[in-house]
Amino acid sequence: MYIVYGLAQTRITLYAADGVTPLYRITLQKETREGLILSYKPEGVTHQLGSGANWAQNRTHRGFRAQLEVKWDFGLNSSVETWASGAWGPSVVILTPTALSLIFTWAFQAPCLVEPHLDKAYSFSAQPDPSKALELKDVKGVAHSGLDLVLVATTVGSIPDWSSL
C-alpha cells in the first residue's frame, strides 16, 4: 500500500534565542524521490514484573515523538523570508546548504516550527538531532551532494489523523 500524505514543500520557521521572536521562514527545496521520512517513535518505559517462569511486562506509554528526515541528492535552491517590522519580507532564493546552515545555527538555540508539507495543516516544534552533523559534500566544487536534515520533536504527542488534514 502506498500512502501520499502531502505533496508540497517543507517549511521551517526559525526563532531567536528567546524562542518567541521569529527570524527566518525557510521553504526547503522539494526533496528527491523517497527523500522524506516522517516517523513517530513511541516513548515510554517498560517494566518487568516478577522473575523466572512467572514474569510479565508492563509498559507505560507516554506518546509518540515525531521525527522528520529530509534527504536530497543535490542541494540546489531553497527560499528564505526574513521577519522585519512585524511582517515577513519578500522570499529570496538561497542555496539549500545555506538554508541548512541557518537551520543548524538557530534551531539548536531555540526549537523551530516544522511544517512537513505546506498542503497539510500539521506542524510540530523540533530541534536538529545532535548526533547528526551538518555534512557538506561537494561534487567537483560545483554542487553539494547527499544533504540530510533530521529534526526531532521537542515534545511527545499523538499520531495525526492524515485523512482529516
Side-chain angles (χ1 to χ4, degrees):
M1 180 198 293
Y2 182 71
I3 299 172
V4 177
Y5 57 86
L7 299 173
Q9 292 173 285
T10 300
R11 184 165 58 194
I12 311 290
T13 304
L14 301 172
Y15 297 93
D18 63 10
V20 177
T21 308
L23 292 176
Y24 303 105
R25 188 163 66 182
I26 298 170
T27 303
L28 295 169
Q29 78 180 54
K30 187 71 178 137
E31 68 276 357
T32 51
R33 187 171 180 263
E34 300 176 7
L36 184 141
I37 301 168
L38 184 58
S39 58
Y40 295 89
K41 179 183 177 192
E43 295 279 335
V45 179
T46 302
H47 303 282
Q48 181 173 324
L49 305 173
S51 62
N54 298 321
W55 68 273
Q57 286 189 344
N58 183 15
R59 175 140 178 97
T60 304
H61 180 66
R62 305 223 189 279
F64 296 91
R65 186 174 303 278
Q67 178 174 305
L68 177 70
E69 186 173 352
V70 188
K71 299 177 181 184
W72 299 274
D73 291 335
F74 293 97
L76 301 174
N77 294 326
S78 293
S79 64
V80 64
E81 300 165 78
T82 304
W83 182 261
S85 304
W88 291 110
S91 180
V92 176
V93 174
I94 61 172
L95 295 173
T96 299
T98 305
L100 295 182
S101 177
L102 281 171
I103 292 169
F104 266 70
T105 299
W106 292 102
F108 273 117
Q109 296 179 40
C112 60
L113 179 67
V114 178
E115 297 170 89
H117 287 288
L118 293 178
D119 58 350
K120 296 289 187 182
Y122 175 69
S123 62
F124 59 93
S125 197
Q127 290 187 291
D129 184 351
S131 67
K132 307 280 184 185
L134 174 61
E135 294 180 353
L136 299 176
K137 299 171 265 185
D138 67 5
V139 178
K140 299 183 181 180
V142 176
H144 290 286
S145 66
L147 295 177
D148 293 348
L149 175 65
V150 179
L151 297 169
V152 181
T154 55
T155 59
V156 296
S158 57
I159 297 175
D161 178 12
W162 292 105
S163 62
S164 67
L165 294 178

